[in-house]
Coordinates of all heavy atoms in Angstrom, one line a residue:
M1 N 20.5 9.2 57.9 CA 20.2 10.1 56.7 C 18.9 9.6 56.0 O 18.7 8.4 55.7 CB 21.4 9.9 55.7 CG 21.4 11.0 54.7 SD 23.0 11.1 53.8 CE 22.6 10.4 52.3
T2 N 18.0 10.5 55.7 CA 16.8 10.1 55.0 C 16.9 10.4 53.5 O 17.6 11.3 53.1 CB 15.6 11.0 55.5 OG1 15.9 12.3 55.4 CG2 15.3 10.6 57.0
E3 N 16.3 9.5 52.8 CA 16.3 9.6 51.3 C 15.3 10.7 50.9 O 14.2 10.8 51.4 CB 15.9 8.3 50.7 CG 17.1 7.4 50.3 CD 16.6 6.1 49.7 OE1 15.9 6.2 48.7 OE2 17.0 5.1 50.2
A4 N 15.6 11.5 49.9 CA 14.7 12.5 49.4 C 13.7 11.8 48.5 O 14.0 11.0 47.7 CB 15.4 13.5 48.6
V5 N 12.4 12.1 48.8 CA 11.3 11.5 48.0 C 10.7 12.6 47.2 O 10.1 13.5 47.8 CB 10.3 10.7 48.9 CG1 9.2 10.2 48.0 CG2 11.0 9.6 49.6
Y6 N 10.7 12.5 45.9 CA 10.1 13.5 45.0 C 8.8 13.0 44.5 O 8.7 11.9 43.9 CB 11.0 13.9 43.9 CG 12.4 14.4 44.3 CD1 13.5 13.6 44.3 CD2 12.5 15.7 44.8 CE1 14.7 14.1 44.8 CE2 13.7 16.2 45.2 CZ 14.8 15.4 45.2 OH 16.0 15.9 45.6
D7 N 7.8 13.7 44.7 CA 6.5 13.3 44.2 C 6.3 13.9 42.8 O 5.9 15.0 42.7 CB 5.3 13.8 45.2 CG 4.0 13.3 44.7 OD1 3.9 12.4 43.8 OD2 3.0 13.8 45.2
V8 N 6.6 13.1 41.9 CA 6.5 13.6 40.5 C 5.1 13.2 39.9 O 4.8 13.5 38.8 CB 7.7 13.0 39.6 CG1 9.0 13.7 40.0 CG2 7.7 11.5 39.6
G9 N 4.4 12.4 40.7 CA 3.0 12.0 40.2 C 3.1 10.9 39.2 O 4.2 10.6 38.7
A10 N 2.0 10.3 39.0 CA 1.9 9.2 38.0 C 2.0 9.7 36.6 O 1.6 10.8 36.4 CB 0.6 8.4 38.2
P11 N 2.6 9.0 35.7 CA 2.7 9.4 34.3 C 1.3 9.6 33.7 O 0.4 8.8 34.1 CB 3.4 8.3 33.6 CG 3.7 7.3 34.5 CD 3.1 7.6 35.9
E12 N 1.1 10.6 32.9 CA -0.2 10.9 32.4 C -0.1 11.1 30.9 O 0.9 11.7 30.4 CB -0.8 12.1 33.0 CG -1.6 11.8 34.3 CD -2.2 13.1 34.9 OE1 -2.3 14.1 34.1 OE2 -2.6 13.0 36.0
P13 N -1.1 10.8 30.1 CA -1.1 11.1 28.6 C -1.1 12.6 28.4 O -1.7 13.4 29.2 CB -2.3 10.5 28.1 CG -3.1 9.8 29.2 CD -2.4 10.1 30.4
K14 N -0.3 13.1 27.5 CA -0.2 14.5 27.2 C -1.2 14.8 26.0 O -1.7 13.9 25.4 CB 1.3 14.8 26.7 CG 2.3 14.5 27.8 CD 2.3 15.5 28.9 CE 3.4 15.3 29.9 NZ 3.2 14.2 30.8
P15 N -1.4 16.1 25.8 CA -2.3 16.5 24.7 C -1.9 15.8 23.3 O -2.8 15.4 22.6 CB -2.2 18.0 24.6 CG -1.8 18.4 26.0 CD -0.9 17.3 26.5
I16 N -0.6 15.7 23.1 CA -0.2 15.0 21.8 C -0.7 13.6 21.8 O -1.0 13.1 20.7 CB 1.3 15.1 21.6 CG1 1.8 14.4 20.3 CG2 2.1 14.5 22.8 CD1 1.5 15.2 19.1
D17 N -0.7 12.9 22.9 CA -1.2 11.6 23.0 C -2.7 11.5 22.7 O -3.1 10.6 22.0 CB -0.9 10.9 24.3 CG 0.6 11.0 24.6 OD1 1.4 10.6 23.7 OD2 1.0 11.5 25.7
E18 N -3.5 12.4 23.2 CA -4.9 12.4 23.0 C -5.1 12.7 21.5 O -5.9 12.0 20.9 CB -5.6 13.6 23.8 CG -5.3 13.6 25.2 CD -6.1 12.5 26.0 OE1 -7.0 11.9 25.3 OE2 -5.8 12.2 27.2
E19 N -4.4 13.6 20.9 CA -4.5 13.9 19.5 C -4.2 12.7 18.6 O -5.0 12.4 17.7 CB -3.4 15.0 19.2 CG -3.9 16.3 18.6 CD -2.7 17.3 18.5 OE1 -1.9 17.1 17.6 OE2 -2.6 18.1 19.4
L20 N -3.1 12.1 18.9 CA -2.7 10.9 18.1 C -3.7 9.8 18.3 O -4.0 9.0 17.3 CB -1.3 10.5 18.5 CG -0.1 11.3 17.9 CD1 1.2 10.9 18.5 CD2 -0.1 11.3 16.4
S21 N -4.1 9.6 19.5 CA -5.1 8.5 19.8 C -6.4 8.7 18.9 O -6.9 7.7 18.3 CB -5.4 8.5 21.3 OG -6.5 7.7 21.5
V22 N -6.9 9.9 18.9 CA -8.1 10.2 18.1 C -7.8 10.0 16.6 O -8.5 9.3 15.9 CB -8.6 11.7 18.3 CG1 -9.6 12.1 17.3 CG2 -9.1 11.8 19.7
K23 N -6.6 10.5 16.1 CA -6.3 10.4 14.7 C -6.1 9.0 14.3 O -6.6 8.5 13.3 CB -4.9 11.2 14.5 CG -4.6 11.4 13.1 CD -3.3 12.3 13.0 CE -2.6 12.0 11.8 NZ -1.2 12.5 11.8
L24 N -5.4 8.2 15.1 CA -5.1 6.8 14.8 C -6.4 6.0 14.9 O -6.6 5.0 14.2 CB -4.0 6.2 15.6 CG -2.6 6.8 15.3 CD1 -1.6 6.4 16.3 CD2 -2.1 6.4 13.9
G25 N -7.2 6.4 15.9 CA -8.5 5.7 16.1 C -9.4 5.8 14.8 O -10.0 4.8 14.4
H26 N -9.4 7.0 14.2 CA -10.2 7.2 13.0 C -9.6 6.4 11.9 O -10.4 5.8 11.1 CB -10.2 8.7 12.6 CG -11.1 9.6 13.5 ND1 -12.3 9.2 13.9 CD2 -10.8 10.8 14.0 CE1 -12.8 10.1 14.7 NE2 -11.9 11.1 14.8
L27 N -8.3 6.4 11.8 CA -7.6 5.6 10.7 C -8.0 4.2 10.8 O -8.3 3.5 9.9 CB -6.1 5.9 10.9 CG -5.1 5.4 9.9 CD1 -4.0 6.4 9.7 CD2 -4.6 4.0 10.4
A28 N -7.9 3.6 12.1 CA -8.2 2.2 12.3 C -9.7 1.9 12.0 O -10.0 0.9 11.4 CB -7.9 1.8 13.7
E29 N -10.6 2.9 12.3 CA -12.0 2.7 12.0 C -12.3 2.6 10.5 O -13.0 1.8 10.1 CB -12.8 3.8 12.6 CG -13.6 3.5 13.9 CD -14.2 4.7 14.5 OE1 -14.9 5.5 13.8 OE2 -13.9 5.0 15.7
D30 N -11.7 3.6 9.8 CA -11.9 3.6 8.4 C -11.4 2.4 7.7 O -12.0 1.9 6.7 CB -11.1 4.8 7.8 CG -11.7 6.2 8.1 OD1 -12.8 6.2 8.6 OD2 -11.0 7.2 7.9
A31 N -10.3 1.8 8.2 CA -9.7 0.6 7.6 C -10.4 -0.7 8.1 O -10.1 -1.7 7.6 CB -8.2 0.6 7.9
I32 N -11.3 -0.5 9.1 CA -11.8 -1.7 9.9 C -10.6 -2.5 10.3 O -10.6 -3.8 10.2 CB -12.8 -2.5 9.1 CG1 -13.8 -1.6 8.3 CG2 -13.6 -3.4 10.0 CD1 -14.8 -2.3 7.5
L33 N -9.6 -1.9 10.8 CA -8.3 -2.6 11.3 C -8.6 -3.3 12.6 O -9.2 -2.8 13.5 CB -7.3 -1.5 11.5 CG -5.9 -2.0 11.9 CD1 -5.2 -2.8 10.8 CD2 -5.0 -0.8 12.2
R34 N -8.2 -4.6 12.5 CA -8.5 -5.5 13.7 C -7.1 -6.1 14.1 O -6.3 -6.4 13.3 CB -9.4 -6.7 13.3 CG -10.7 -6.2 12.8 CD -11.7 -6.0 13.9 NE -12.7 -5.0 13.6 CZ -13.8 -5.2 12.9 NH1 -14.1 -6.4 12.5 NH2 -14.7 -4.2 12.7
G35 N -7.1 -6.4 15.4 CA -5.8 -7.0 15.9 C -5.8 -8.5 15.8 O -5.1 -9.2 16.6
K36 N -6.6 -9.1 14.9 CA -6.7 -10.5 14.6 C -7.0 -10.8 13.2 O -7.5 -9.9 12.5 CB -7.6 -11.2 15.6 CG -9.0 -10.6 15.6 CD -9.8 -11.3 16.7 CE -11.0 -10.4 17.2 NZ -11.6 -10.8 18.3
P37 N -6.6 -12.0 12.7 CA -6.8 -12.3 11.3 C -8.3 -12.4 10.9 O -9.2 -12.6 11.8 CB -6.1 -13.6 11.1 CG -5.6 -14.0 12.4 CD -6.1 -13.1 13.5
N38 N -8.6 -12.3 9.6 CA -9.9 -12.6 9.1 C -9.9 -13.9 8.3 O -9.5 -13.8 7.1 CB -10.4 -11.4 8.3 CG -11.8 -11.5 7.8 OD1 -12.6 -12.2 8.4 ND2 -12.0 -10.9 6.6
G39 N -10.1 -15.0 8.9 CA -9.9 -16.3 8.3 C -8.4 -16.4 7.9 O -7.6 -16.2 8.8
A40 N -8.2 -16.7 6.6 CA -6.8 -16.9 6.2 C -6.1 -15.5 5.9 O -4.9 -15.5 5.6 CB -6.7 -17.8 5.0
E41 N -6.9 -14.5 5.8 CA -6.3 -13.2 5.5 C -5.7 -12.5 6.7 O -6.4 -12.3 7.7 CB -7.4 -12.3 4.9 CG -8.0 -12.8 3.6 CD -9.1 -11.9 3.1 OE1 -9.4 -10.8 3.7 OE2 -9.7 -12.2 2.1
R42 N -4.5 -12.2 6.6 CA -3.7 -11.5 7.8 C -2.7 -10.6 7.2 O -2.3 -10.7 6.0 CB -3.1 -12.6 8.7 CG -2.6 -13.8 8.0 CD -2.2 -14.9 8.9 NE -1.1 -14.5 9.7 CZ -0.9 -14.8 11.0 NH1 -1.8 -15.5 11.6 NH2 0.1 -14.4 11.6
C43 N -2.3 -9.7 8.0 CA -1.3 -8.7 7.5 C -0.1 -9.3 6.9 O 0.4 -8.9 5.8 CB -0.9 -7.7 8.6 SG -2.3 -6.5 9.0
D44 N 0.5 -10.3 7.5 CA 1.7 -10.9 7.0 C 1.6 -11.7 5.8 O 2.6 -12.2 5.2 CB 2.6 -11.5 8.1 CG 1.9 -12.8 8.7 OD1 0.8 -13.2 8.2 OD2 2.4 -13.3 9.7
N45 N 0.4 -11.8 5.2 CA 0.3 -12.4 3.9 C -0.4 -11.4 3.0 O -1.1 -11.8 2.0 CB -0.3 -13.8 3.9 CG -1.8 -13.9 4.3 OD1 -2.4 -12.8 4.5 ND2 -2.3 -15.1 4.6
C46 N -0.3 -10.2 3.3 CA -0.9 -9.1 2.5 C 0.2 -8.4 1.7 O 1.3 -8.2 2.2 CB -1.6 -8.1 3.4 SG -2.2 -6.6 2.6
L47 N -0.2 -7.9 0.5 CA 0.7 -7.2 -0.4 C 1.4 -6.0 0.3 O 2.5 -5.7 0.0 CB -0.1 -6.7 -1.6 CG 0.5 -5.8 -2.6 CD1 1.6 -6.6 -3.3 CD2 -0.5 -5.3 -3.6
Y48 N 0.7 -5.3 1.2 CA 1.1 -4.1 1.8 C 2.0 -4.2 3.0 O 2.5 -3.3 3.6 CB 0.0 -3.1 2.1 CG -0.8 -2.8 0.9 CD1 -2.1 -3.4 0.6 CD2 -0.4 -1.8 0.0 CE1 -2.8 -3.1 -0.5 CE2 -1.1 -1.5 -1.1 CZ -2.3 -2.2 -1.4 OH -3.1 -1.9 -2.5
Y49 N 2.2 -5.5 3.5 CA 3.0 -5.7 4.7 C 4.5 -5.7 4.2 O 4.9 -6.6 3.5 CB 2.6 -7.1 5.2 CG 3.1 -7.4 6.6 CD1 2.5 -6.8 7.7 CD2 4.1 -8.2 6.9 CE1 2.9 -7.1 9.0 CE2 4.5 -8.5 8.2 CZ 3.9 -7.9 9.2 OH 4.3 -8.2 10.5
L50 N 5.2 -4.7 4.7 CA 6.6 -4.5 4.1 C 7.6 -5.6 4.3 O 8.3 -6.0 3.4 CB 7.1 -3.2 4.6 CG 8.3 -2.6 3.8 CD1 7.8 -2.3 2.4 CD2 8.9 -1.4 4.5
D51 N 7.7 -6.1 5.5 CA 8.7 -7.1 5.8 C 8.1 -8.4 6.4 O 7.9 -8.4 7.6 CB 9.8 -6.5 6.7 CG 11.0 -7.4 6.9 OD1 10.9 -8.6 6.5 OD2 12.0 -6.9 7.4
T52 N 7.9 -9.4 5.6 CA 7.2 -10.6 6.0 C 8.0 -11.4 7.0 O 7.5 -12.3 7.6 CB 6.7 -11.5 4.9 OG1 7.9 -11.7 4.0 CG2 5.6 -10.8 4.1
D53 N 9.3 -11.1 7.2 CA 10.1 -11.8 8.2 C 9.9 -11.3 9.6 O 10.4 -11.8 10.6 CB 11.6 -11.6 7.9 CG 12.0 -12.4 6.6 OD1 11.3 -13.4 6.3 OD2 13.0 -12.0 6.0
K54 N 9.1 -10.2 9.7 CA 9.0 -9.6 11.0 C 7.5 -9.7 11.6 O 6.6 -9.8 10.8 CB 9.3 -8.1 11.0 CG 10.8 -7.9 10.7 CD 11.1 -6.4 10.8 CE 12.6 -6.2 10.7 NZ 13.0 -4.8 10.5
D55 N 7.4 -9.8 12.9 CA 6.1 -9.9 13.5 C 5.3 -8.6 13.5 O 4.1 -8.6 13.5 CB 6.2 -10.2 15.0 CG 6.8 -11.6 15.2 OD1 6.7 -12.4 14.3 OD2 7.2 -12.0 16.3
I56 N 6.1 -7.5 13.5 CA 5.5 -6.2 13.4 C 6.2 -5.4 12.3 O 7.5 -5.5 12.2 CB 5.7 -5.4 14.7 CG1 4.8 -6.0 15.8 CG2 5.3 -3.9 14.5 CD1 5.1 -5.4 17.2
T57 N 5.5 -4.8 11.3 CA 6.2 -4.1 10.3 C 5.3 -3.0 9.8 O 4.2 -2.8 10.2 CB 6.8 -5.0 9.2 OG1 7.7 -4.3 8.4 CG2 5.7 -5.4 8.2
Y58 N 5.9 -2.2 8.8 CA 5.2 -1.1 8.2 C 4.2 -1.5 7.2 O 4.5 -2.4 6.3 CB 6.3 -0.2 7.6 CG 5.7 1.1 7.0 CD1 5.2 2.1 7.8 CD2 5.7 1.3 5.6 CE1 4.8 3.3 7.3 CE2 5.2 2.5 5.1 CZ 4.8 3.5 5.9 OH 4.3 4.6 5.3
C59 N 3.0 -1.0 7.3 CA 2.0 -1.2 6.2 C 2.0 0.0 5.3 O 1.8 1.1 5.8 CB 0.6 -1.4 6.8 SG -0.7 -1.2 5.6
W60 N 2.3 -0.3 4.0 CA 2.5 0.8 3.1 C 1.2 1.2 2.3 O 1.3 1.9 1.3 CB 3.7 0.6 2.2 CG 3.7 -0.6 1.3 CD1 4.1 -1.9 1.7 CD2 3.2 -0.7 0.0 NE1 3.9 -2.8 0.7 CE2 3.4 -2.1 -0.4 CE3 2.7 0.2 -1.0 CZ2 3.0 -2.6 -1.7 CZ3 2.4 -0.3 -2.2 CH2 2.5 -1.7 -2.6
H61 N 0.1 0.6 2.7 CA -1.2 1.0 2.1 C -1.3 2.5 2.2 O -1.2 3.0 3.3 CB -2.4 0.3 2.7 CG -3.6 0.5 1.9 ND1 -4.3 1.6 1.9 CD2 -4.3 -0.4 1.0 CE1 -5.4 1.5 1.1 NE2 -5.4 0.3 0.5
P62 N -1.6 3.2 1.1 CA -1.7 4.7 1.2 C -2.7 5.3 2.2 O -2.5 6.4 2.7 CB -2.1 5.1 -0.2 CG -1.9 4.0 -1.1 CD -1.9 2.7 -0.2
K63 N -3.7 4.5 2.6 CA -4.6 5.0 3.6 C -4.2 4.6 5.0 O -4.9 5.0 6.0 CB -6.0 4.4 3.3 CG -6.6 5.0 2.1 CD -8.1 4.5 1.9 CE -8.7 5.2 0.7 NZ -10.1 4.8 0.6
L64 N -3.1 3.9 5.2 CA -2.7 3.5 6.5 C -1.3 4.1 6.9 O -1.2 5.0 7.7 CB -2.7 1.9 6.6 CG -4.1 1.4 6.8 CD1 -4.2 -0.1 6.5 CD2 -4.6 1.7 8.3
R65 N -0.3 3.5 6.3 CA 1.1 4.0 6.6 C 1.4 4.0 8.1 O 1.7 5.1 8.7 CB 1.3 5.4 5.9 CG 1.3 5.3 4.4 CD 1.8 6.6 3.8 NE 2.1 6.4 2.4 CZ 1.4 7.0 1.4 NH1 0.5 7.9 1.7 NH2 1.6 6.7 0.1
V66 N 1.1 2.9 8.7 CA 1.4 2.7 10.2 C 2.1 1.4 10.4 O 2.1 0.5 9.5 CB 0.1 2.8 11.0 CG1 -0.5 4.2 11.0 CG2 -0.9 1.8 10.6
L67 N 2.5 1.1 11.6 CA 3.0 -0.2 12.0 C 1.8 -1.1 12.3 O 0.9 -0.7 12.9 CB 3.9 -0.1 13.2 CG 5.3 0.5 13.0 CD1 6.0 0.7 14.4 CD2 6.2 -0.3 12.1
V68 N 1.9 -2.3 11.8 CA 0.9 -3.3 12.1 C 1.5 -4.6 12.5 O 2.7 -4.9 12.2 CB -0.1 -3.5 10.8 CG1 -0.9 -2.2 10.5 CG2 0.7 -4.0 9.6
G69 N 0.7 -5.5 13.1 CA 1.2 -6.8 13.6 C 0.9 -7.8 12.5 O -0.1 -7.7 11.7
G70 N 1.7 -8.8 12.4 CA 1.5 -9.9 11.4 C 0.2 -10.6 11.4 O -0.3 -11.0 10.4
D71 N -0.4 -10.7 12.6 CA -1.7 -11.4 12.6 C -2.9 -10.4 12.7 O -4.0 -10.8 13.0 CB -1.8 -12.4 13.8 CG -1.6 -11.8 15.1 OD1 -1.3 -10.6 15.2 OD2 -1.7 -12.6 16.1
W72 N -2.7 -9.2 12.3 CA -3.8 -8.2 12.2 C -4.4 -8.4 10.8 O -4.0 -9.1 10.0 CB -3.3 -6.8 12.4 CG -2.7 -6.5 13.8 CD1 -2.4 -7.4 14.8 CD2 -2.4 -5.2 14.2 NE1 -1.9 -6.7 15.8 CE2 -1.9 -5.3 15.5 CE3 -2.5 -3.9 13.7 CZ2 -1.5 -4.2 16.3 CZ3 -2.1 -2.8 14.5 CH2 -1.6 -3.0 15.8
W73 N -5.4 -7.5 10.6 CA -6.1 -7.6 9.3 C -6.9 -6.2 9.1 O -7.3 -5.6 10.1 CB -7.2 -8.7 9.3 CG -8.0 -8.7 8.1 CD1 -7.8 -9.4 6.9 CD2 -9.3 -8.1 8.0 NE1 -8.8 -9.1 6.0 CE2 -9.8 -8.4 6.7 CE3 -10.1 -7.3 8.8 CZ2 -11.0 -7.9 6.2 CZ3 -11.4 -6.9 8.3 CH2 -11.8 -7.2 7.0
C74 N -7.1 -5.8 7.9 CA -8.0 -4.7 7.6 C -8.7 -5.0 6.3 O -8.4 -5.9 5.6 CB -7.2 -3.4 7.6 SG -6.6 -2.9 6.0
Q75 N -9.7 -4.1 6.0 CA -10.5 -4.3 4.8 C -9.8 -4.1 3.5 O -10.3 -4.5 2.5 CB -11.7 -3.4 4.9 CG -11.4 -1.9 4.7 CD -12.6 -1.1 4.3 OE1 -13.5 -1.5 3.6 NE2 -12.6 0.2 4.8
W76 N -8.6 -3.6 3.5 CA -7.8 -3.4 2.3 C -6.8 -4.5 2.0 O -5.9 -4.3 1.3 CB -7.2 -2.0 2.3 CG -8.2 -0.9 2.2 CD1 -9.2 -0.8 1.3 CD2 -8.3 0.2 3.1 NE1 -9.9 0.3 1.6 CE2 -9.5 0.9 2.7 CE3 -7.7 0.6 4.3 CZ2 -9.9 2.1 3.4 CZ3 -8.1 1.7 4.9 CH2 -9.2 2.4 4.5
W77 N -7.0 -5.6 2.7 CA -6.1 -6.7 2.5 C -6.1 -7.1 1.0 O -7.1 -7.1 0.4 CB -6.6 -7.9 3.3 CG -5.7 -9.2 3.1 CD1 -4.7 -9.5 3.9 CD2 -5.8 -10.2 2.1 NE1 -4.1 -10.7 3.5 CE2 -4.8 -11.1 2.4 CE3 -6.7 -10.4 1.1 CZ2 -4.6 -12.2 1.6 CZ3 -6.5 -11.5 0.3 CH2 -5.5 -12.4 0.5
E78 N -4.9 -7.4 0.5 CA -4.7 -7.7 -0.9 C -3.7 -8.9 -1.0 O -2.7 -8.8 -0.4 CB -4.3 -6.6 -1.7 CG -5.0 -6.5 -3.1 CD -4.8 -5.2 -3.8 OE1 -5.4 -4.2 -3.3 OE2 -4.0 -5.2 -4.8
E79 N -4.1 -9.8 -1.8 CA -3.2 -11.0 -2.0 C -1.9 -10.6 -2.7 O -1.9 -9.7 -3.5 CB -3.9 -12.0 -3.0 CG -3.4 -13.3 -2.9 CD -4.2 -14.4 -3.6 OE1 -5.3 -14.0 -4.1 OE2 -3.8 -15.5 -3.7
I80 N -0.8 -11.2 -2.3 CA 0.5 -11.0 -2.9 C 0.5 -11.7 -4.2 O 0.3 -12.9 -4.3 CB 1.6 -11.5 -2.0 CG1 1.6 -10.9 -0.6 CG2 3.0 -11.3 -2.6 CD1 2.4 -11.5 0.5
P81 N 0.8 -10.9 -5.3 CA 0.8 -11.6 -6.6 C 1.9 -12.7 -6.7 O 2.9 -12.5 -6.0 CB 1.1 -10.5 -7.6 CG 1.1 -9.2 -6.8 CD 1.1 -9.5 -5.4
E82 N 1.7 -13.7 -7.5 CA 2.6 -14.8 -7.6 C 4.0 -14.4 -8.0 O 5.0 -14.9 -7.5 CB 2.1 -15.9 -8.6 CG 0.8 -16.5 -8.1 CD 1.0 -17.8 -7.3 OE1 1.9 -18.6 -7.7 OE2 0.2 -18.0 -6.4
D83 N 4.1 -13.6 -9.1 CA 5.4 -13.2 -9.6 C 6.0 -12.0 -9.1 O 5.5 -11.1 -8.6 CB 5.4 -13.1 -11.1 CG 4.2 -12.5 -11.7 OD1 3.5 -11.8 -10.9 OD2 3.9 -12.7 -12.9
Ligands
SF4_1 S1 -3.4 -3.2 4.0 FE1 -4.5 -3.9 5.8 S2 -4.3 -6.2 5.8 FE2 -2.7 -5.3 4.4 S3 -0.9 -5.1 5.7 FE3 -2.0 -3.1 5.7 S4 -3.3 -3.2 7.6 FE4 -2.7 -5.3 7.1

């Protein structure tokens, strides 16, 4: 008995992926978003990093509103107030 082999092709990005890639790319450019810290400034010590216990969390800065990594950085980094 031979096994049926279906050629479904390699996975490919769909139009929605191209769209989101462009949109998120502009967003990252505007924010100068980087996948690494800027000196001591990093997402997980920024005011807008929602859950500092997590390596990846939601950034609630109004110009971003995306998931970011704890050791990323952008130009809108802001210190967490003491109180
Ligand atoms: S504002 Fe910038 S530095 Fe702060 S958490 Fe969001 S992406 Fe990171």
